[in-house]
Amino acid sequence: MKRALAVTRLQFNKKLITLGVPAMILALVVLVSVIIALTMQRFGVDTTTPEYADGFKMSGGAVYSIPGFLVYLGVQAVSLTFPFAMSLGTTRRSYALGTALFYALQAFYVGLISVVLLGIEKLTGHWFVGAYVFDTHMAGEGNFVKVFLTMTVMTFVALCVGGVFGGLFLRLGSKGPLALSIALVLVLALLLLFLAPQLAAIAAATTRWHILGVLSAIALASVGGLYLALRRATVR
């Protein structure tokens, strides 16, 4: 366990990237949303009406803005630190466990930031201008628990998926991530093909908890895939 914790500390070595960038991305989303709300006011839109609030709450900026960076961070966390960790005598199992713990702590951090920003949003009357960023349907309908779980699980799965791509790159080179990408596209296409007649019914019956459960399963499967990829990965 000590070796795994050492790997986790190693992953947090570049704090500007691991802690600073996620906070800056979410702060930028708030800024852009405030500018949009102010622009709408300049066009004469009444930002105090229920209709305006319902429309702005359909925004998914807080959820959509950060996964791309998180996947990149998941890839980088593996591809840059694995050779160094192996040179220090860390076992591959300890490395995978320590990296998964890093992903979990990083996800908790993003979820915590989101809850804090939601609190500020509510206290300021949605950033003083009627800008809905975290008090949206997709982020969690203004519920602190839902927002925390949504942002935490979303962060964890993005990091874990990135970790698998990073592990496959170390194991097979550029062919590994490419093969996984093609396989995922084919699986999604086949699922759409077979489930097309039932998609409307499935969507109607799906809840936030179903989605979070599926995402959690994907994240755990990705952690297992990371370990399997690293078992035979060459240290370069």
Side-chain angles (χ1 to χ4, degrees), residues 1 18 61 76 143 148 219:
M1 190 61 184
T18 57
Q76 184 191 60
N143 182 287
F148 175 77

Side-chain angles (χ1 to χ4, degrees), residues 159-195:
L159 289 167
C160 290
V161 169
V164 171
F165 278 93
L168 286 174
F169 177 78
L170 292 174
R171 173 69 178 88
L172 301 171
S174 59
K175 295 180 180 179
L178 178 61
L180 178 59
S181 299
I182 294 174
L184 290 176
V185 170
L186 288 175
V187 169
L188 289 175
L190 289 173
L191 283 175
L192 287 174
L193 176 63
F194 288 110
L195 297 178

Side-chain angles (χ1 to χ4, degrees), residues 62-175:
V63 178
Y64 291 140
S65 63
I66 200 169
F69 167 75
L70 294 171
V71 172
Y72 157 78
L73 181 60
V75 173
Q76 184 191 60
V78 174
S79 59
L80 294 184
T81 62
F82 178 71
F84 181 68
M86 292 298 99
S87 69
L88 296 179
T90 303
T91 65
R92 294 166 192 257
R93 181 178 179 180
S94 295
Y95 179 84
L97 180 60
T99 301
L101 180 57
F102 161 69
Y103 291 159
L105 292 174
Q106 185 75 24
F108 179 85
Y109 170 70
V110 173
L112 185 61
I113 292 176
S114 301
V115 168
V116 171
L117 291 175
L118 173 62
I120 297 173
E121 182 172 318
K122 289 190 171 186
L123 287 174
T124 57
H126 300 92
W127 309 104
F128 303 106
V129 294
Y132 291 78
V133 185
F134 295 91
D135 186 9
T136 62
H137 298 306
M138 184 169 292
E141 301 169 341
N143 182 287
F144 287 99
V145 174
K146 289 182 179 180
V147 169
F148 175 77
L149 291 177
T150 298
M151 297 301 290
T152 298
V153 173
M154 180 272 297
T155 300
F156 187 55
V157 70
L159 289 167
C160 290
V161 169
V164 171
F165 278 93
L168 286 174
F169 177 78
L170 292 174
R171 173 69 178 88
L172 301 171
S174 59
K175 295 180 180 179

